[in-house]
Amino acid sequence: MKNLLLLIPIVFLIGLTTTAQELTCADFKNGTFIVPKTSEESPEYKLVRDGNSQMEIIEMNGQTITLYGILEWIDECSYKLIYDETKMNLPEEIQFVNDNGGIVSELLKIEDNCFFYKSVLIIDGKESKRIDGKYCAQ
């Protein structure tokens, strides 16, 4: 009987550790995410992903701006983003991104329900611009 009483808490603890879910990079390939403000000037926006496609929905100055992207997965935690010119007219700065091969993003860490990343634009073989940020599962 004494051994049975000791076994109950052990089984309970094993159950707790095996049911805890760790997020992985795969959890950020599909779904709706929020990209929080990074400064007073930058808006919070919504990111909607479905495998190889992405929409960025930005509310700014009473207007909704939607950007469409194509994701090319490099590996489980890295991808290249090219904006989809078949779904929208590309403003000059976004056309510049596409003309230079897109933006490469990679996972830095996953914390709680947020994915911390770095994104770089490579121009003439050199890292031209780096953005660090995060997006969080809704």
Side-chain angles (χ1 to χ4, degrees):
M1 184 68 166
K2 191 175 184 181
N3 287 340
L4 182 61
L5 290 176
L6 287 173
L7 189 60
I8 291 172
I10 292 171
V11 170
F12 178 72
L13 287 173
I14 291 172
L16 282 178
T17 59
T18 58
T19 58
Q21 183 182 3
E22 290 282 327
L23 292 176
T24 66
C25 294
D27 294 308
F28 295 91
K29 287 187 177 183
N30 295 291
T32 302
F33 308 95
I34 297 297
V35 179
K37 292 176 74 146
T38 55
S39 69
E40 199 55 41
E41 298 82 37
S42 71
E44 176 179 280
Y45 63 95
K46 188 184 297 189
L47 193 64
V48 180
R49 283 204 172 147
D50 186 11
N52 292 334
S53 65
Q54 171 175 295
M55 281 190 326
E56 298 173 30
I57 304 164
I58 306 162
E59 301 283 338
M60 209 162 73
N61 301 326
Q63 293 183 331
T64 300
I65 300 166
T66 303
L67 303 174
Y68 298 91
I70 300 167
L71 302 175
E72 296 175 19
W73 291 93
I74 299 166
D75 59 36
E76 187 66 23
C77 297
S78 302
Y79 59 88
K80 179 168 48 169
L81 169 68
I82 301 285
Y83 289 97
D84 191 346
E85 56 192 300
T86 66
K87 294 185 178 178
M88 63 182 194
N89 292 324
L90 301 182
E92 188 176 321
E93 61 274 7
I94 292 178
Q95 184 63 55
F96 181 79
V97 168
N98 280 9
D99 290 345
N100 285 283
I103 297 171
V104 176
S105 295
E106 70 177 275
L107 164 78
L108 297 175
K109 67 180 176 177
I110 296 172
E111 194 173 280
D112 297 324
N113 67 333
C114 296
F115 180 101
F116 290 79
Y117 66 90
K118 77 170 185 175
S119 293
V120 295
L121 179 62
I122 308 291
I123 300 174
D124 297 327
K126 295 180 183 169
E127 187 177 295
S128 172
K129 185 172 186 176
R130 175 178 168 156
I131 299 170
D132 293 304
K134 72 177 178 179
Y135 51 90
C136 304
Q138 237 185 341

PDB file of all heavy atoms in Angstrom, residues 36-73:
ATOM      1  N   PRO A  36       3.672  42.882 -32.915  1.00  0.00           N
ATOM      2  CA  PRO A  36       3.497  44.067 -32.066  1.00  0.00           C
ATOM      3  C   PRO A  36       4.282  45.274 -32.566  1.00  0.00           C
ATOM      4  O   PRO A  36       5.228  45.138 -33.341  1.00  0.00           O
ATOM      5  CB  PRO A  36       4.028  43.612 -30.696  1.00  0.00           C
ATOM      6  CG  PRO A  36       4.682  42.317 -30.889  1.00  0.00           C
ATOM      7  CD  PRO A  36       4.412  41.822 -32.276  1.00  0.00           C
ATOM      8  N   LYS A  37       3.868  46.443 -32.098  1.00  0.00           N
ATOM      9  CA  LYS A  37       4.568  47.688 -32.430  1.00  0.00           C
ATOM     10  C   LYS A  37       6.015  47.589 -31.961  1.00  0.00           C
ATOM     11  O   LYS A  37       6.286  47.089 -30.890  1.00  0.00           O
ATOM     12  CB  LYS A  37       3.912  48.863 -31.720  1.00  0.00           C
ATOM     13  CG  LYS A  37       2.541  49.209 -32.200  1.00  0.00           C
ATOM     14  CD  LYS A  37       1.939  50.319 -31.378  1.00  0.00           C
ATOM     15  CE  LYS A  37       2.598  51.605 -31.759  1.00  0.00           C
ATOM     16  NZ  LYS A  37       1.785  52.782 -31.722  1.00  0.00           N
ATOM     17  N   THR A  38       6.915  48.090 -32.793  1.00  0.00           N
ATOM     18  CA  THR A  38       8.320  48.127 -32.397  1.00  0.00           C
ATOM     19  C   THR A  38       8.759  49.541 -32.019  1.00  0.00           C
ATOM     20  O   THR A  38       9.805  49.722 -31.430  1.00  0.00           O
ATOM     21  CB  THR A  38       9.227  47.599 -33.531  1.00  0.00           C
ATOM     22  OG1 THR A  38       8.965  48.354 -34.716  1.00  0.00           O
ATOM     23  CG2 THR A  38       8.968  46.125 -33.786  1.00  0.00           C
ATOM     24  N   SER A  39       7.941  50.512 -32.405  1.00  0.00           N
ATOM     25  CA  SER A  39       8.216  51.905 -32.040  1.00  0.00           C
ATOM     26  C   SER A  39       6.885  52.654 -32.065  1.00  0.00           C
ATOM     27  O   SER A  39       5.862  52.115 -32.482  1.00  0.00           O
ATOM     28  CB  SER A  39       9.202  52.544 -33.025  1.00  0.00           C
ATOM     29  OG  SER A  39       8.593  52.709 -34.286  1.00  0.00           O
ATOM     30  N   GLU A  40       6.925  53.896 -31.653  1.00  0.00           N
ATOM     31  CA  GLU A  40       5.716  54.716 -31.640  1.00  0.00           C
ATOM     32  C   GLU A  40       5.163  54.922 -33.052  1.00  0.00           C
ATOM     33  O   GLU A  40       3.968  55.010 -33.258  1.00  0.00           O
ATOM     34  CB  GLU A  40       6.025  56.060 -30.966  1.00  0.00           C
ATOM     35  CG  GLU A  40       4.822  56.809 -30.477  1.00  0.00           C
ATOM     36  CD  GLU A  40       3.929  56.016 -29.524  1.00  0.00           C
ATOM     37  OE1 GLU A  40       4.444  55.304 -28.647  1.00  0.00           O
ATOM     38  OE2 GLU A  40       2.702  56.132 -29.658  1.00  0.00           O
ATOM     39  N   GLU A  41       6.057  54.964 -34.030  1.00  0.00           N
ATOM     40  CA  GLU A  41       5.649  55.203 -35.420  1.00  0.00           C
ATOM     41  C   GLU A  41       5.141  53.944 -36.123  1.00  0.00           C
ATOM     42  O   GLU A  41       4.368  54.027 -37.062  1.00  0.00           O
ATOM     43  CB  GLU A  41       6.822  55.768 -36.252  1.00  0.00           C
ATOM     44  CG  GLU A  41       7.351  57.091 -35.786  1.00  0.00           C
ATOM     45  CD  GLU A  41       8.338  56.953 -34.636  1.00  0.00           C
ATOM     46  OE1 GLU A  41       9.137  56.005 -34.611  1.00  0.00           O
ATOM     47  OE2 GLU A  41       8.284  57.809 -33.738  1.00  0.00           O
ATOM     48  N   SER A  42       5.624  52.779 -35.716  1.00  0.00           N
ATOM     49  CA  SER A  42       5.249  51.550 -36.420  1.00  0.00           C
ATOM     50  C   SER A  42       3.937  50.994 -35.874  1.00  0.00           C
ATOM     51  O   SER A  42       3.720  50.978 -34.670  1.00  0.00           O
ATOM     52  CB  SER A  42       6.358  50.502 -36.295  1.00  0.00           C
ATOM     53  OG  SER A  42       6.417  50.005 -34.979  1.00  0.00           O
ATOM     54  N   PRO A  43       3.073  50.529 -36.773  1.00  0.00           N
ATOM     55  CA  PRO A  43       1.792  49.988 -36.315  1.00  0.00           C
ATOM     56  C   PRO A  43       1.916  48.521 -35.917  1.00  0.00           C
ATOM     57  O   PRO A  43       2.823  47.811 -36.349  1.00  0.00           O
ATOM     58  CB  PRO A  43       0.917  50.102 -37.573  1.00  0.00           C
ATOM     59  CG  PRO A  43       1.890  49.916 -38.694  1.00  0.00           C
ATOM     60  CD  PRO A  43       3.163  50.576 -38.224  1.00  0.00           C
ATOM     61  N   GLU A  44       1.012  48.070 -35.053  1.00  0.00           N
ATOM     62  CA  GLU A  44       0.843  46.642 -34.833  1.00  0.00           C
ATOM     63  C   GLU A  44       0.099  46.123 -36.057  1.00  0.00           C
ATOM     64  O   GLU A  44      -0.747  46.823 -36.610  1.00  0.00           O
ATOM     65  CB  GLU A  44       0.001  46.421 -33.571  1.00  0.00           C
ATOM     66  CG  GLU A  44      -0.314  44.960 -33.311  1.00  0.00           C
ATOM     67  CD  GLU A  44      -1.127  44.784 -32.045  1.00  0.00           C
ATOM     68  OE1 GLU A  44      -0.543  44.801 -30.952  1.00  0.00           O
ATOM     69  OE2 GLU A  44      -2.362  44.626 -32.181  1.00  0.00           O
ATOM     70  N   TYR A  45       0.429  44.932 -36.512  1.00  0.00           N
ATOM     71  CA  TYR A  45      -0.302  44.406 -37.662  1.00  0.00           C
ATOM     72  C   TYR A  45      -0.492  42.904 -37.555  1.00  0.00           C
ATOM     73  O   TYR A  45       0.099  42.238 -36.706  1.00  0.00           O
ATOM     74  CB  TYR A  45       0.340  44.812 -38.989  1.00  0.00           C
ATOM     75  CG  TYR A  45       1.743  44.309 -39.241  1.00  0.00           C
ATOM     76  CD1 TYR A  45       1.957  43.139 -39.966  1.00  0.00           C
ATOM     77  CD2 TYR A  45       2.847  45.027 -38.802  1.00  0.00           C
ATOM     78  CE1 TYR A  45       3.242  42.689 -40.225  1.00  0.00           C
ATOM     79  CE2 TYR A  45       4.122  44.586 -39.065  1.00  0.00           C
ATOM     80  CZ  TYR A  45       4.320  43.412 -39.776  1.00  0.00           C
ATOM     81  OH  TYR A  45       5.586  42.979 -40.027  1.00  0.00           O
ATOM     82  N   LYS A  46      -1.346  42.399 -38.426  1.00  0.00           N
ATOM     83  CA  LYS A  46      -1.713  40.992 -38.424  1.00  0.00           C
ATOM     84  C   LYS A  46      -1.009  40.291 -39.579  1.00  0.00           C
ATOM     85  O   LYS A  46      -0.896  40.831 -40.674  1.00  0.00           O
ATOM     86  CB  LYS A  46      -3.227  40.852 -38.586  1.00  0.00           C
ATOM     87  CG  LYS A  46      -3.728  39.440 -38.393  1.00  0.00           C
ATOM     88  CD  LYS A  46      -5.216  39.311 -38.659  1.00  0.00           C
ATOM     89  CE  LYS A  46      -6.028  40.123 -37.691  1.00  0.00           C
ATOM     90  NZ  LYS A  46      -7.466  39.859 -37.792  1.00  0.00           N
ATOM     91  N   LEU A  47      -0.557  39.093 -39.306  1.00  0.00           N
ATOM     92  CA  LEU A  47       0.108  38.250 -40.288  1.00  0.00           C
ATOM     93  C   LEU A  47      -0.720  36.979 -40.414  1.00  0.00           C
ATOM     94  O   LEU A  47      -0.985  36.314 -39.406  1.00  0.00           O
ATOM     95  CB  LEU A  47       1.501  37.927 -39.747  1.00  0.00           C
ATOM     96  CG  LEU A  47       2.564  37.331 -40.604  1.00  0.00           C
ATOM     97  CD1 LEU A  47       2.944  38.288 -41.725  1.00  0.00           C
ATOM     98  CD2 LEU A  47       3.785  37.040 -39.758  1.00  0.00           C
ATOM     99  N   VAL A  48      -1.165  36.660 -41.624  1.00  0.00           N
ATOM    100  CA  VAL A  48      -1.957  35.447 -41.850  1.00  0.00           C
ATOM    101  C   VAL A  48      -1.152  34.562 -42.782  1.00  0.00           C
ATOM    102  O   VAL A  48      -0.816  34.972 -43.895  1.00  0.00           O
ATOM    103  CB  VAL A  48      -3.337  35.768 -42.464  1.00  0.00           C
ATOM    104  CG1 VAL A  48      -4.129  34.488 -42.685  1.00  0.00           C
ATOM    105  CG2 VAL A  48      -4.106  36.734 -41.571  1.00  0.00           C
ATOM    106  N   ARG A  49      -0.830  33.354 -42.307  1.00  0.00           N
ATOM    107  CA  ARG A  49       0.008  32.441 -43.078  1.00  0.00           C
ATOM    108  C   ARG A  49      -0.725  31.154 -43.393  1.00  0.00           C
ATOM    109  O   ARG A  49      -1.454  30.618 -42.576  1.00  0.00           O
ATOM    110  CB  ARG A  49       1.246  32.064 -42.275  1.00  0.00           C
ATOM    111  CG  ARG A  49       2.265  33.119 -42.260  1.00  0.00           C
ATOM    112  CD  ARG A  49       3.594  32.492 -41.987  1.00  0.00           C
ATOM    113  NE  ARG A  49       4.608  33.498 -42.158  1.00  0.00           N
ATOM    114  CZ  ARG A  49       5.708  33.529 -41.452  1.00  0.00           C
ATOM    115  NH1 ARG A  49       5.942  32.610 -40.552  1.00  0.00           N
ATOM    116  NH2 ARG A  49       6.598  34.458 -41.675  1.00  0.00           N
ATOM    117  N   ASP A  50      -0.453  30.667 -44.604  1.00  0.00           N
ATOM    118  CA  ASP A  50      -0.966  29.371 -45.022  1.00  0.00           C
ATOM    119  C   ASP A  50       0.133  28.698 -45.838  1.00  0.00           C
ATOM    120  O   ASP A  50       0.185  28.848 -47.065  1.00  0.00           O
ATOM    121  CB  ASP A  50      -2.248  29.539 -45.842  1.00  0.00           C
ATOM    122  CG  ASP A  50      -2.898  28.212 -46.186  1.00  0.00           C
ATOM    123  OD1 ASP A  50      -2.491  27.167 -45.636  1.00  0.00           O
ATOM    124  OD2 ASP A  50      -3.813  28.220 -47.019  1.00  0.00           O
ATOM    125  N   GLY A  51       1.056  28.046 -45.153  1.00  0.00           N
ATOM    126  CA  GLY A  51       2.145  27.340 -45.834  1.00  0.00           C
ATOM    127  C   GLY A  51       3.087  28.277 -46.552  1.00  0.00           C
ATOM    128  O   GLY A  51       3.935  28.908 -45.941  1.00  0.00           O
ATOM    129  N   ASN A  52       2.919  28.386 -47.871  1.00  0.00           N
ATOM    130  CA  ASN A  52       3.827  29.196 -48.686  1.00  0.00           C
ATOM    131  C   ASN A  52       3.276  30.565 -49.036  1.00  0.00           C
ATOM    132  O   ASN A  52       3.865  31.278 -49.836  1.00  0.00           O
ATOM    133  CB  ASN A  52       4.188  28.442 -49.973  1.00  0.00           C
ATOM    134  CG  ASN A  52       5.039  27.230 -49.682  1.00  0.00           C
ATOM    135  OD1 ASN A  52       5.745  27.176 -48.687  1.00  0.00           O
ATOM    136  ND2 ASN A  52       4.961  26.242 -50.538  1.00  0.00           N
ATOM    137  N   SER A  53       2.130  30.931 -48.469  1.00  0.00           N
ATOM    138  CA  SER A  53       1.594  32.271 -48.740  1.00  0.00           C
ATOM    139  C   SER A  53       1.397  33.023 -47.431  1.00  0.00           C
ATOM    140  O   SER A  53       1.191  32.434 -46.377  1.00  0.00           O
ATOM    141  CB  SER A  53       0.283  32.188 -49.525  1.00  0.00           C
ATOM    142  OG  SER A  53      -0.708  31.562 -48.754  1.00  0.00           O
ATOM    143  N   GLN A  54       1.477  34.341 -47.547  1.00  0.00           N
ATOM    144  CA  GLN A  54       1.370  35.196 -46.362  1.00  0.00           C
ATOM    145  C   GLN A  54       0.659  36.486 -46.750  1.00  0.00           C
ATOM    146  O   GLN A  54       0.851  37.011 -47.832  1.00  0.00           O
ATOM    147  CB  GLN A  54       2.781  35.500 -45.863  1.00  0.00           C
ATOM    148  CG  GLN A  54       2.847  36.543 -44.776  1.00  0.00           C
ATOM    149  CD  GLN A  54       4.248  36.706 -44.249  1.00  0.00           C
ATOM    150  OE1 GLN A  54       4.799  35.790 -43.665  1.00  0.00           O
ATOM    151  NE2 GLN A  54       4.836  37.877 -44.444  1.00  0.00           N
ATOM    152  N   MET A  55      -0.171  36.966 -45.824  1.00  0.00           N
ATOM    153  CA  MET A  55      -0.788  38.287 -45.950  1.00  0.00           C
ATOM    154  C   MET A  55      -0.386  39.096 -44.736  1.00  0.00           C
ATOM    155  O   MET A  55      -0.436  38.598 -43.617  1.00  0.00           O
ATOM    156  CB  MET A  55      -2.322  38.194 -45.968  1.00  0.00           C
ATOM    157  CG  MET A  55      -2.908  37.781 -47.259  1.00  0.00           C
ATOM    158  SD  MET A  55      -4.723  37.964 -47.335  1.00  0.00           S
ATOM    159  CE  MET A  55      -5.306  37.616 -45.711  1.00  0.00           C
ATOM    160  N   GLU A  56       0.013  40.338 -44.963  1.00  0.00           N
ATOM    161  CA  GLU A  56       0.276  41.279 -43.882  1.00  0.00           C
ATOM    162  C   GLU A  56      -0.851  42.300 -43.936  1.00  0.00           C
ATOM    163  O   GLU A  56      -1.025  42.971 -44.951  1.00  0.00           O
ATOM    164  CB  GLU A  56       1.628  41.967 -44.077  1.00  0.00           C
ATOM    165  CG  GLU A  56       2.794  41.013 -44.061  1.00  0.00           C
ATOM    166  CD  GLU A  56       4.108  41.687 -44.434  1.00  0.00           C
ATOM    167  OE1 GLU A  56       4.273  42.894 -44.168  1.00  0.00           O
ATOM    168  OE2 GLU A  56       4.958  40.992 -45.009  1.00  0.00           O
ATOM    169  N   ILE A  57      -1.622  42.396 -42.866  1.00  0.00           N
ATOM    170  CA  ILE A  57      -2.765  43.310 -42.823  1.00  0.00           C
ATOM    171  C   ILE A  57      -2.428  44.409 -41.825  1.00  0.00           C
ATOM    172  O   ILE A  57      -2.313  44.155 -40.633  1.00  0.00           O
ATOM    173  CB  ILE A  57      -4.053  42.561 -42.443  1.00  0.00           C
ATOM    174  CG1 ILE A  57      -4.284  41.405 -43.428  1.00  0.00           C
ATOM    175  CG2 ILE A  57      -5.239  43.516 -42.416  1.00  0.00           C
ATOM    176  CD1 ILE A  57      -5.282  40.383 -42.964  1.00  0.00           C
ATOM    177  N   ILE A  58      -2.271  45.614 -42.355  1.00  0.00           N
ATOM    178  CA  ILE A  58      -1.800  46.748 -41.558  1.00  0.00           C
ATOM    179  C   ILE A  58      -2.887  47.810 -41.512  1.00  0.00           C
ATOM    180  O   ILE A  58      -3.364  48.259 -42.556  1.00  0.00           O
ATOM    181  CB  ILE A  58      -0.512  47.337 -42.179  1.00  0.00           C
ATOM    182  CG1 ILE A  58       0.539  46.239 -42.355  1.00  0.00           C
ATOM    183  CG2 ILE A  58       0.010  48.494 -41.344  1.00  0.00           C
ATOM    184  CD1 ILE A  58       1.654  46.592 -43.314  1.00  0.00           C
ATOM    185  N   GLU A  59      -3.285  48.197 -40.304  1.00  0.00           N
ATOM    186  CA  GLU A  59      -4.239  49.299 -40.103  1.00  0.00           C
ATOM    187  C   GLU A  59      -3.418  50.532 -39.769  1.00  0.00           C
ATOM    188  O   GLU A  59      -2.699  50.552 -38.777  1.00  0.00           O
ATOM    189  CB  GLU A  59      -5.189  48.986 -38.937  1.00  0.00           C
ATOM    190  CG  GLU A  59      -6.014  47.729 -39.099  1.00  0.00           C
ATOM    191  CD  GLU A  59      -7.182  47.908 -40.045  1.00  0.00           C
ATOM    192  OE1 GLU A  59      -7.621  49.055 -40.252  1.00  0.00           O
ATOM    193  OE2 GLU A  59      -7.644  46.889 -40.582  1.00  0.00           O
ATOM    194  N   MET A  60      -3.525  51.553 -40.651  1.00  0.00           N
ATOM    195  CA  MET A  60      -2.720  52.745 -40.428  1.00  0.00           C
ATOM    196  C   MET A  60      -3.470  53.974 -40.923  1.00  0.00           C
ATOM    197  O   MET A  60      -3.955  53.994 -42.061  1.00  0.00           O
ATOM    198  CB  MET A  60      -1.387  52.603 -41.183  1.00  0.00           C
ATOM    199  CG  MET A  60      -0.253  53.340 -40.541  1.00  0.00           C
ATOM    200  SD  MET A  60       1.362  52.760 -41.120  1.00  0.00           S
ATOM    201  CE  MET A  60       1.424  53.440 -42.754  1.00  0.00           C
ATOM    202  N   ASN A  61      -3.591  54.962 -40.057  1.00  0.00           N
ATOM    203  CA  ASN A  61      -4.256  56.227 -40.405  1.00  0.00           C
ATOM    204  C   ASN A  61      -5.654  56.002 -40.982  1.00  0.00           C
ATOM    205  O   ASN A  61      -6.037  56.629 -41.964  1.00  0.00           O
ATOM    206  CB  ASN A  61      -3.411  57.042 -41.383  1.00  0.00           C
ATOM    207  CG  ASN A  61      -2.040  57.367 -40.824  1.00  0.00           C
ATOM    208  OD1 ASN A  61      -1.888  57.574 -39.627  1.00  0.00           O
ATOM    209  ND2 ASN A  61      -1.047  57.410 -41.685  1.00  0.00           N
ATOM    210  N   GLY A  62      -6.385  55.074 -40.380  1.00  0.00           N
ATOM    211  CA  GLY A  62      -7.750  54.806 -40.828  1.00  0.00           C
ATOM    212  C   GLY A  62      -7.850  54.004 -42.111  1.00  0.00           C
ATOM    213  O   GLY A  62      -8.940  53.809 -42.635  1.00  0.00           O
ATOM    214  N   GLN A  63      -6.742  53.531 -42.639  1.00  0.00           N
ATOM    215  CA  GLN A  63      -6.738  52.725 -43.857  1.00  0.00           C
ATOM    216  C   GLN A  63      -6.220  51.327 -43.553  1.00  0.00           C
ATOM    217  O   GLN A  63      -5.415  51.144 -42.643  1.00  0.00           O
ATOM    218  CB  GLN A  63      -5.839  53.339 -44.919  1.00  0.00           C
ATOM    219  CG  GLN A  63      -6.304  54.654 -45.463  1.00  0.00           C
ATOM    220  CD  GLN A  63      -5.366  55.138 -46.567  1.00  0.00           C
ATOM    221  OE1 GLN A  63      -4.186  54.836 -46.575  1.00  0.00           O
ATOM    222  NE2 GLN A  63      -5.922  55.892 -47.501  1.00  0.00           N
ATOM    223  N   THR A  64      -6.675  50.370 -44.354  1.00  0.00           N
ATOM    224  CA  THR A  64      -6.165  49.004 -44.260  1.00  0.00           C
ATOM    225  C   THR A  64      -5.293  48.744 -45.478  1.00  0.00           C
ATOM    226  O   THR A  64      -5.723  48.930 -46.616  1.00  0.00           O
ATOM    227  CB  THR A  64      -7.316  47.986 -44.223  1.00  0.00           C
ATOM    228  OG1 THR A  64      -8.141  48.258 -43.089  1.00  0.00           O
ATOM    229  CG2 THR A  64      -6.779  46.565 -44.122  1.00  0.00           C
ATOM    230  N   ILE A  65      -4.068  48.351 -45.215  1.00  0.00           N
ATOM    231  CA  ILE A  65      -3.123  48.010 -46.280  1.00  0.00           C
ATOM    232  C   ILE A  65      -2.871  46.514 -46.176  1.00  0.00           C
ATOM    233  O   ILE A  65      -2.556  46.003 -45.104  1.00  0.00           O
ATOM    234  CB  ILE A  65      -1.798  48.776 -46.118  1.00  0.00           C
ATOM    235  CG1 ILE A  65      -2.056  50.284 -46.159  1.00  0.00           C
ATOM    236  CG2 ILE A  65      -0.782  48.349 -47.162  1.00  0.00           C
ATOM    237  CD1 ILE A  65      -0.895  51.120 -45.684  1.00  0.00           C
ATOM    238  N   THR A  66      -3.017  45.807 -47.288  1.00  0.00           N
ATOM    239  CA  THR A  66      -2.757  44.376 -47.309  1.00  0.00           C
ATOM    240  C   THR A  66      -1.618  44.096 -48.282  1.00  0.00           C
ATOM    241  O   THR A  66      -1.660  44.506 -49.438  1.00  0.00           O
ATOM    242  CB  THR A  66      -4.010  43.589 -47.738  1.00  0.00           C
ATOM    243  OG1 THR A  66      -5.080  43.921 -46.850  1.00  0.00           O
ATOM    244  CG2 THR A  66      -3.763  42.090 -47.674  1.00  0.00           C
ATOM    245  N   LEU A  67      -0.592  43.431 -47.780  1.00  0.00           N
ATOM    246  CA  LEU A  67       0.546  43.020 -48.588  1.00  0.00           C
ATOM    247  C   LEU A  67       0.522  41.503 -48.709  1.00  0.00           C
ATOM    248  O   LEU A  67       0.298  40.806 -47.720  1.00  0.00           O
ATOM    249  CB  LEU A  67       1.864  43.462 -47.950  1.00  0.00           C
ATOM    250  CG  LEU A  67       2.028  44.956 -47.677  1.00  0.00           C
ATOM    251  CD1 LEU A  67       3.323  45.212 -46.922  1.00  0.00           C
ATOM    252  CD2 LEU A  67       2.010  45.736 -48.984  1.00  0.00           C
ATOM    253  N   TYR A  68       0.744  41.013 -49.919  1.00  0.00           N
ATOM    254  CA  TYR A  68       0.726  39.577 -50.171  1.00  0.00           C
ATOM    255  C   TYR A  68       2.145  39.096 -50.431  1.00  0.00           C
ATOM    256  O   TYR A  68       2.887  39.723 -51.197  1.00  0.00           O
ATOM    257  CB  TYR A  68      -0.154  39.261 -51.380  1.00  0.00           C
ATOM    258  CG  TYR A  68      -1.589  39.652 -51.174  1.00  0.00           C
ATOM    259  CD1 TYR A  68      -2.045  40.921 -51.538  1.00  0.00           C
ATOM    260  CD2 TYR A  68      -2.487  38.769 -50.588  1.00  0.00           C
ATOM    261  CE1 TYR A  68      -3.363  41.293 -51.339  1.00  0.00           C
ATOM    262  CE2 TYR A  68      -3.810  39.137 -50.386  1.00  0.00           C
ATOM    263  CZ  TYR A  68      -4.239  40.403 -50.766  1.00  0.00           C
ATOM    264  OH  TYR A  68      -5.544  40.767 -50.551  1.00  0.00           O
ATOM    265  N   GLY A  69       2.505  37.992 -49.804  1.00  0.00           N
ATOM    266  CA  GLY A  69       3.849  37.469 -49.970  1.00  0.00           C
ATOM    267  C   GLY A  69       3.858  35.988 -50.290  1.00  0.00           C
ATOM    268  O   GLY A  69       2.905  35.260 -50.000  1.00  0.00           O
ATOM    269  N   ILE A  70       4.958  35.571 -50.891  1.00  0.00           N
ATOM    270  CA  ILE A  70       5.216  34.161 -51.173  1.00  0.00           C
ATOM    271  C   ILE A  70       6.407  33.763 -50.317  1.00  0.00           C
ATOM    272  O   ILE A  70       7.443  34.437 -50.327  1.00  0.00           O
ATOM    273  CB  ILE A  70       5.547  33.957 -52.664  1.00  0.00           C
ATOM    274  CG1 ILE A  70       4.371  34.418 -53.532  1.00  0.00           C
ATOM    275  CG2 ILE A  70       5.900  32.488 -52.943  1.00  0.00           C
ATOM    276  CD1 ILE A  70       4.701  34.543 -54.998  1.00  0.00           C
ATOM    277  N   LEU A  71       6.241  32.688 -49.552  1.00  0.00           N
ATOM    278  CA  LEU A  71       7.306  32.203 -48.685  1.00  0.00           C
ATOM    279  C   LEU A  71       7.998  31.014 -49.339  1.00  0.00           C
ATOM    280  O   LEU A  71       7.340  30.063 -49.757  1.00  0.00           O
ATOM    281  CB  LEU A  71       6.748  31.776 -47.327  1.00  0.00           C
ATOM    282  CG  LEU A  71       6.004  32.853 -46.540  1.00  0.00           C
ATOM    283  CD1 LEU A  71       5.394  32.254 -45.282  1.00  0.00           C
ATOM    284  CD2 LEU A  71       6.918  34.001 -46.194  1.00  0.00           C
ATOM    285  N   GLU A  72       9.298  31.087 -49.440  1.00  0.00           N
ATOM    286  CA  GLU A  72      10.106  29.961 -49.907  1.00  0.00           C
ATOM    287  C   GLU A  72      10.870  29.454 -48.687  1.00  0.00           C
ATOM    288  O   GLU A  72      11.786  30.129 -48.206  1.00  0.00           O
ATOM    289  CB  GLU A  72      11.080  30.411 -50.990  1.00  0.00           C
ATOM    290  CG  GLU A  72      10.415  30.913 -52.251  1.00  0.00           C
ATOM    291  CD  GLU A  72      11.418  31.463 -53.259  1.00  0.00           C
ATOM    292  OE1 GLU A  72      12.629  31.153 -53.166  1.00  0.00           O
ATOM    293  OE2 GLU A  72      10.984  32.222 -54.139  1.00  0.00           O
ATOM    294  N   TRP A  73      10.470  28.283 -48.183  1.00  0.00           N
ATOM    295  CA  TRP A  73      11.082  27.747 -46.974  1.00  0.00           C
ATOM    296  C   TRP A  73      12.470  27.201 -47.302  1.00  0.00           C
ATOM    297  O   TRP A  73      12.633  26.341 -48.157  1.00  0.00           O
ATOM    298  CB  TRP A  73      10.188  26.691 -46.341  1.00  0.00           C
ATOM    299  CG  TRP A  73       8.958  27.337 -45.773  1.00  0.00           C
ATOM    300  CD1 TRP A  73       7.760  27.503 -46.391  1.00  0.00           C
ATOM    301  CD2 TRP A  73       8.855  27.980 -44.507  1.00  0.00           C
ATOM    302  NE1 TRP A  73       6.903  28.217 -45.579  1.00  0.00           N
ATOM    303  CE2 TRP A  73       7.537  28.512 -44.415  1.00  0.00           C
ATOM    304  CE3 TRP A  73       9.719  28.164 -43.437  1.00  0.00           C
ATOM    305  CZ2 TRP A  73       7.087  29.198 -43.295  1.00  0.00           C
ATOM    306  CZ3 TRP A  73       9.262  28.850 -42.319  1.00  0.00           C
ATOM    307  CH2 TRP A  73       7.964  29.354 -42.258  1.00  0.00           C
TER     308      TRP A  73
END
